[in-house]
Amino acid sequence: MALFAGTASARPAPAAPAEWSWEGRYAGEIRVASVARVPVVGSERSITRSLLLVDVERSGDRLVHRQRVCDVGIRSSRVRMTVPDAFVGSLRPKTYTASLAGPADARRFTADLGEEALGYDPAVTGGALPKDRSAPGVVDSDGDGEPGATVIGHFPLFGRVRLYVAQRSHLVLHGRQTGPDRIEGGLDIVTLESRTLGASNGIFGRSLEVRPDDAASGFTLVRTAARDCDDLRRQAAALFPAGGWGSRS
């Protein structure tokens, strides 16, 4: 999922044994960078990190990825953002196919995650974002009684503000094998559109102009023995030390 970081630096990929297989369980981190114009604050750079548990199996000549989102964190330059547990729990598992091709020391990876809608029903809106909280198709994704999905901003002078958002996104991962059990690379952000449906403080109730930053976005997948999302969250700080996992508040 992507709301409102650099791609890992390339390093020589060791040769993998001929019998190496991509099937198994992986921990994933997707980093989506963007710049938004925020009321009162001005231009604000953000990186949204999604912590994923991904099971990979082979089906014929396809690699099928079954993905769950275990946590989401947002780091911004001046505004502290909190993603509530209810928001994370509302994100549905997804299944998609990926390709991993090339010689053992230079395998290339591609996965199209498809379109994702948050806070609205695209079947009702024809795929477009709803214009406001009363528009047809708006849904309460996280069940908190407010339209869309709720994130919390901690703004200078204004304190804690609940933001009710709808979002449309489409990401494509492209990278390479950088170790026997590790793949990393960049993102093509095909679509990243966000609309603020309302806020607990009306000053912040208007929609933000969000500009994605493909060059500062990226992903990592690394094999894990994590049993479930709780287990993965405990391991996240060691697996992805730059992500700030374990310090979410």
Side-chain angles (χ1 to χ4, degrees), residues 154-176:
H154 304 264
F155 295 91
L157 303 180
F158 292 89
R160 186 175 183 268
V161 179
R162 296 170 64 85
L163 306 171
Y164 316 127
V165 302
Q167 182 179 275
R168 176 173 172 248
S169 62
H170 183 179
L171 306 179
V172 178
L173 314 184
H174 54 84
R176 61 191 288 268

Side-chain angles (χ1 to χ4, degrees), residues 2 32 115-116 167-171 188-193 212:
V32 177
E115 286 218 354
E116 185 168 5
Q167 182 179 275
R168 176 173 172 248
S169 62
H170 183 179
L171 306 179
D188 289 332
I189 304 176
V190 180
T191 304
L192 181 61
E193 299 175 349

Side-chain angles (χ1 to χ4, degrees), residues 48 87 125:
T48 300
F87 179 109
T125 68

Side-chain angles (χ1 to χ4, degrees), residues 22-83:
W22 182 241
E23 290 103 314
R25 171 161 286 187
Y26 290 81
E29 183 188 63
I30 293 180
R31 306 173 295 274
V32 177
S34 63
V35 180
R37 296 288 303 176
V38 180
V40 180
V41 175
S43 181
E44 180 79 352
R45 296 191 64 85
S46 298
I47 298 175
T48 300
R49 285 178 162 88
S50 299
L51 181 66
L52 314 171
L53 195 61
V54 185
D55 289 309
V56 182
E57 61 185 41
R58 185 171 292 280
S59 177
D61 60 353
R62 300 185 307 155
L63 288 170
V64 179
H65 286 220
R66 305 186 191 282
Q67 171 182 298
R68 286 171 281 170
V69 179
C70 295
D71 207 347
V72 179
I74 304 173
R75 281 190 172 183
S76 297
S77 50
R78 284 171 292 177
V79 177
R80 183 166 63 88
M81 301 295 296
T82 301
V83 181

Side-chain angles (χ1 to χ4, degrees), residues 79-125:
V79 177
R80 183 166 63 88
M81 301 295 296
T82 301
V83 181
D85 290 338
F87 179 109
V88 178
S90 73
L91 300 174
R92 296 179 179 178
K94 65 165 53 182
T95 300
Y96 54 90
T97 59
S99 66
L100 186 63
D105 61 347
R107 287 190 173 98
R108 307 298 300 182
F109 176 85
T110 303
D112 187 334
L113 305 190
E115 286 218 354
E116 185 168 5
L118 180 68
Y120 73 103
D121 184 348
V124 175
T125 68

